[in-house]
Amino acid sequence: MDIRILAIAAVLPLAACASSETPVESTPTPPAEAEMTCKADAVQSYVGQTATPDLGGAILKAAGARTLRWGPPRSAMTMDYRVDRVNVMYDDAYKITQVTCG
């Protein structure tokens, strides 16, 4: 058998899968802009208060954030920054020591 016939027979199924249309360029849509961006200045009045689940909800709402992260004493936390997260650190007596965004 001729080698050219074998080559054509091997490539022919792949050619059937090829598209002759040019791909449509798509532009990715940007993420929703700042509707859930944390505002740390708005929640600094909570420093010194006792950390409770209800107070956490109030902090979350006042900061305009999407997520709340508690920071217990002597605990490790990831260093990833998220604009939609409020961090509430507290001490052994459950007193809030710091409120930050990220």
Side-chain angles (χ1 to χ4, degrees), residues 37-47 58-65 81 83 85-87 98-102:
T37 301
C38 176
K39 298 164 197 71
D41 294 339
V43 290
Q44 293 306 309
S45 61
Y46 292 99
V47 174
I59 292 171
L60 184 65
K61 185 175 180 180
Y81 184 82
V83 296
R85 179 172 58 200
V86 61
N87 304 304
Q98 187 178 16
V99 181
T100 62
C101 290

Side-chain angles (χ1 to χ4, degrees), residues 51 68-77 86-92 94-98:
L68 170 72
R69 177 168 65 169
W70 292 104
R74 296 172 302 284
S75 65
M77 296 175 72
V86 61
N87 304 304
V88 181
M89 277 60 87
Y90 58 91
D91 62 13
D92 289 323
Y94 293 98
K95 295 293 180 191
I96 296 174
T97 58
Q98 187 178 16

